[in-house]
Amino acid sequence: MRYEAPRRLEDAVSLLAGQDGAHVLAGGTDLLVKLRSEMIEPEMIVDIKRIEGMREIAAEDGGWRIGAAVSGAEMGEHAGLVADWPGVVEAAGLIGSTQIQGRATLAGNLCNASPAADSVPAMVAAGARVRIAGPNGMRDLDVIDVPQKPGKTALERGEFIASVWLPARGERSGDCYLRFIPRTEMDIAVVGCGISLSLDAGDRVTAARVSLGAVGPKVMLVEEAAEAITRRVLDEAALSDLAAACSAAATPIDDKRGTIDFRRHVAGVLARRAAVIAAKRAKGETA
Amino acid sequence: MSQLHVTTKINGDETEFLCEAEDTLLDVLRDRLGLTGTKEGCGTGDCGACSVAVDGRLVCSCLMLGAEAEGRDIATIEGMATGDQLHPLQQKFIEMAALQCGICTPGILVAAQSLLERNPDPSEEEVRYWLAGNLCRCTGYDKIIRAVMETAADMRRAS
Amino acid sequence: MALDDTKKTREFKVVGTRPDRPDGIDKVTGRARFGADMVAPGMLTGRILRSPHAHARIVRIDTSKAEALSGVKAVVTRADFGEVPEDVADVLDNCMAGDKALYDGHAVAAVAASSPAVARKALKLIEVEYEVLPHVTDVDAAIKPDAPVLHEGRQQETVPEGLSQNVIARSEFGHGDIEAGLKQADRVVGRTYRTAATHQGYIEPHACLATMGSDGRADLWVCTQGHYMVRNTCAAILGMEQGQLRVTASEIGGGFGGKTVVFLEPVALMLAKKAGRPVKMVMSRSEVLRATGPTSSTSIDVKIGMTKDGRITAGFAELRYQGGAYPGSPVDMGAMSGFAPYDLENVKTVGWDVVANRPKAAAYRAPGAPMAAFAIESAIDEAAKGFGLDPLEVRLMNGADEGTKASYGPTYPAIGLKATLEAAKSHPHWSAPLGENQGRGVACGFWFNFGGDTCVSLNITPDGTVTVSEGNPDIGGSRASMTMMAAEELGIPYDQVRTIIADTGSLGQNEVTDGSRVTFAVGLATIKAAEAAKTEMCRRAAMVWGIDEEAVEWEDGAARPAGPNAGKFPPMTLKEIAAIASNTGGPIAGHHEVNAEGAGVSFATHMVDVELDRDTGSTKILRYTVFQDAGKAVHPSYVEGQFQGGAVQGIGWALNEEYIYGDDGILQNAGFLDYRIPVASDLPMIDTVILEIPNPGHPYGVRGVGETSIVPPLAAIANAVSEAAGVRMTQLPMSPPRVLAGLQGKASA
């Protein structure tokens, strides 16, 4: 196996395009586990951390462009990012332990294409987009279009994610990510829910994006759930409808981490709670 | 198949080593550099026994390749004491019996030191959540948390 | 054997204080050497090939391609081992499968190679032909007459006709007349309880380094709870004399019973023998979970008869434990210990030892007891609550005391059960208010504690330093305790004594570090060895003074004339006597060898508050207090540590830990990600109250404490959750889906 740490984007692209069995290394918290367990046997590892810009967070068009090698811990230390997108930051900050957050990245979490990835529902709710570098140049893709099925993404040979872009937050808007795990930390999400919403002066929801993770082969954007609360105040009735829509949309499986019934039920519970927190944040209240 | 040559700094000392591409930093520390204070408890980043700091950032060394150490500053448990002067955390752990078998202790000390560098006045909850990635099976964490908080208080008083 | 009571009532100077442990600095600096921290020149990496099937006949193993791979220095299969004595036959079969693989992960072959990468490649080149057989992993399924059978002809005569050959043995304990007792009851609670298999979860994987010379003499460095056991077992398996194998115990990164047996060690020695080079073997976490010694999963029926004022008129339990692929689950200890806290006229327990296609169970801290206590303490709680009675009062009313005939046979001397219950009753925790969705639970627990073979050698250097050589790996701070007891007995400062764990060449035989025996038995032997040394030092002083030996006594670290008629001589300190040892006959030492008896049982009461999230079934532990009798707490910090550690393992067992097997018999959660032990953020502080009712069998009154602490938590937490949920929980772990189902009134929880 070869290890390469190119300093230029184009070099990374040629290495990845020119070699069968080449894998990208950013934080390594998924890659090294797979390597150790012999789930993969790479011919080459391409470490992208030394490429210029990979470790930067920059303001862009009112939003934020986050380099693919930025760790969850670094995101949590960036005041601007935390202020605008606390849900995305807290989602990244829930991946594994403090040690994992010292290395894990949004891009890596996304490209691992696990249905239970913590950062993905939050990114989907935020309307995040990724910028992909490849042999044919750069292209942008909505986050939700990246995972295709467990373990598989829409990235072609030679392509890798160079950055993640979060849009401008907008007035009276807030996001939140919650997950259910059996312990208090360290577990893979049994259910994950990311909600981003905006309120008018009367606290009615003007726009919402509701995303569920770990209840289907890919993360889902649940439009019925968003519709259930749009143009409404988040009272008990609205929250009930939101929960019901999420439970109905969920298509979970039974596995060692949870049963179908349990996941469906909890999807609804989390949606409620996430919406309440997102609304508080939208109003500028501390949750 | 030739090995990679890596130049790095470990506990302040300039260090060079050779390693295979697939060797983890943990493998390198233990098997090539003889620094066996950092432990392998799981190999999958779930137990924290392999904790080190890289450029001041707390990470699991089992999830980092040895090759990635190039040009970085690595801090392991062996560098925590200064000569024969224990770090206040190390001293407090002994005094407060915050270890039983001791296998998780290096990882916990490295992690706790990282916490106190960032947050000199953590609440009990903050300490517990920071250390959630460091498994201990012997102590039930009670005396560990107390030791970290008391050390934090001592260090605040001393500064 | 009643020992001199004056020792127990005296003022202790060292015992009961909290000095720094001697190995503390090594452990906080990373200098301490654990199992995987040793290296040897020319060392090879050993790795094991494991069965991917839960049950299969091994038709053929072809190792030729592996042997031909460059860098491979030895390959081992069962064929390399000869006939072994019957008492280690199962151990060998577990370490290296013979004609059948009996569980997912069962070792079938091993290699020693020049690097981990070559070893990995070599394993892939070993060709094994399996004939896959039907398997069974559930204990109740394994009992059924049509269950797939693991072993023919192992069933004992105690087992009646009509049950599968997987049912190995039946045992029975108790006294009185259950049927009559149940008739006297105003209410009978009868339920079935089930618990899943769990693992000790020590953070250090098994590891060893084996070297064997061409003369057949071998050295082994290993993390273990008993290096003498390792020596004896490996010698038997390899056909060596015990004296040919010297085993050195490394520091041990946790054991809890799981390292009282061998897994890698005979294989490492055989590889070292064939390769002619040292072989190091270290298990991965997945190997530890798949192929070491978890606990039994169990199915337990309980009947409790109680009068409306709280008297238990009958206590019955039938316990079915699967012990993995070989006979020997700890069902007997469960059957004996479950009712031990109570004074009952009518009590009966029946135990069934069953095999199943799972790894062979090893001890886990009070083996067999936590599950039995879960079932029995839950039933007692339910009966008491049914009458609106206080659960602590009911336990006090029925509690065992000095003179009680225990459910498992013996009559108790002075014991501490009621002291723990009284302490619980008067503790602020008991009267603290509870909020919405919160519940409080209590439970009692018991462990026998053991003595066993023990050797201690106490040696004095010319400058008056004392070294205590003992044979039990230190898993909880025991070196500090031995040092304290020696210092106490000799009347010298703690810093003047050093305790080491001697290799197997230095002492004769030592029972493993189990049964909560070390502070008791090794402590007792240390005290006796110190007494012997004092006697000798008094003799030397007598020689110097020209008086009779009997006229010299030892006090405050010095030899003194005993009484005014002995003569006016200034005291000779230990240091002074040591300095002239050569001139008065030679170096001074004391030693003691014993199969220690007189271990004192240890009782505990645990109290826990929980809060439920009714929408998700999540349980949060709010507050936890342990009340346990230690007899005499030599080093209170380490006693507290045992209380807290056992309680937290119990919390994990009660709420989240379980072995999950698929229908294919393969373990699905062989890692710390999905085998979920408690993390720091899951827990509150664990408060502790140490009671001291001295054990008559130890000079200072010491009782073992390490195991009792894991016995009550499963039931205490189940009682608390049941209270908060308004639904009786009968299955562990009480994971959120299970609690939620209970709250929603679905399937029995």
Side-chain angles (χ1 to χ4, degrees), chain B residues 41 47 101 103 135-138 141, chain C residues 198-206 253-259 285 288-289 292-295 363-364 649 657 659 672 675-678:
Chain B
C47 79
C101 79
I103 194 84
L135 301 182
C136 173
R137 197 55 160 165
C138 292
Y141 305 102
Chain C
T198 58
H199 193 274
Q200 301 83 351
Y202 33 83
I203 306 300
E204 178 200 33
H206 297 254
F256 314 109
K259 290 181 179 158
R285 178 52 51 183
V288 172
L289 287 165
T292 59
T295 59
Y364 178 9
Q649 285 180 315
E657 294 178 41
Y659 265 52
F672 275 144
Y675 182 82
R676 304 188 195 102
I677 75 174

Side-chain angles (χ1 to χ4, degrees), chain A residues 155-172:
Chain A
L155 269 54
E156 307 280 345
R157 179 184 170 118
E159 286 189 317
F160 71 99
I161 292 178
S163 61
V164 176
W165 180 77
L166 291 171
R169 177 67 276 203
E171 291 293 304
R172 280 184 79 79

Side-chain angles (χ1 to χ4, degrees), chain C residues 290-457:
Chain C
R290 282 168 82 207
T292 59
T295 59
S296 301
S297 52
T298 75
S299 171
I300 304 174
D301 307 324
V302 175
K303 275 200 198 120
I304 300 288
M306 191 178 280
T307 63
K308 57 183 183 301
D309 57 312
R311 182 155 304 286
I312 300 174
T313 58
F316 170 80
E318 179 156 356
L319 307 93
R320 296 171 290 279
Y321 287 26
Q322 63 77 19
Y326 302 89
S329 77
V331 67
D332 284 0
M333 292 200 271
M336 290 196 286
S337 62
F339 283 108
Y342 303 106
D343 181 355
L344 302 175
E345 211 181 299
N346 306 303
V347 59
K348 176 173 168 180
T349 56
V350 175
W352 299 93
D353 181 25
V354 180
V355 294
N357 292 110
R358 290 176 180 241
K360 176 171 169 47
Y364 178 9
R365 208 164 196 164
M371 311 78 133
F374 162 60
I376 289 165
E377 292 290 312
S378 291
I380 291 176
D381 197 68
E382 189 173 359
K385 297 254 172 80
F387 290 122
L389 298 169
D390 179 312
L392 286 178
E393 292 294 349
V394 166
R395 289 175 171 83
L396 273 163
M397 178 188 292
N398 294 282
D401 218 331
E402 182 168 0
T404 298
K405 180 172 165 65
S407 55
Y408 65 99
T411 300
Y412 290 128
I415 55 171
L417 171 75
K418 287 193 174 165
T420 67
L421 286 164
E422 295 289 359
K425 247 179 72 177
S426 55
H427 194 275
H429 185 171
W430 187 234
S431 47
L434 284 167
E436 216 184 309
N437 294 321
Q438 295 180 355
R440 180 167 297 147
V442 293
C444 291
F446 158 91
W447 189 249
F448 315 84
N449 300 330
F450 295 98
D453 284 336
T454 314
C455 297
V456 169
S457 172

Side-chain angles (χ1 to χ4, degrees), chain A residues 38 183-184 256-257 265 273, chain C residues 613 615 674 677 681-682:
Chain A
E38 298 179 302
R183 293 181 290 184
T184 52
K256 61 178 179 273
R257 298 186 182 127
H265 172 82
R273 295 177 181 181
Chain C
D613 180 335
D615 292 323
D674 289 305
I677 75 174
S681 45
D682 292 339

Side-chain angles (χ1 to χ4, degrees), chain A residues 1-3 7 25-33 35-37 45 47 49-50 55 71 73-75 77 96-103 183-186, chain B residues 4 21-24 27 40 43-48 51 57-60 62-65 67-72 107 111 118 129-135:
Chain A
M1 187 180 96
R2 269 170 65 196
Y3 168 87
R7 298 208 174 246
L25 169 66
T29 55
D30 286 318
L31 185 74
L32 265 75
V33 176
L35 193 62
R36 266 292 129 127
S37 63
I45 304 272
D47 185 346
K49 293 195 287 296
R50 299 191 191 259
R55 303 190 64 174
S71 70
E74 286 165 336
M75 286 171 60
E77 290 162 1
S97 59
T98 311
Q99 289 87 340
I100 299 293
Q101 288 143 35
R103 296 260 295 168
R183 293 181 290 184
T184 52
E185 279 285 326
M186 299 304 288
Chain B
L4 299 167
E22 65 262 22
D23 285 343
T24 63
D27 294 334
E40 176 162 329
T44 52
D46 296 309
C47 79
S51 299
R57 180 72 69 188
L58 181 67
V59 300
C60 281
C62 74
L63 294 184
M64 188 168 148
L65 294 176
E68 294 181 70
E70 177 71 36
R72 305 248 174 262
R118 274 166 178 64
Y129 274 87
W130 183 272
L131 293 179
N134 289 86
L135 301 182

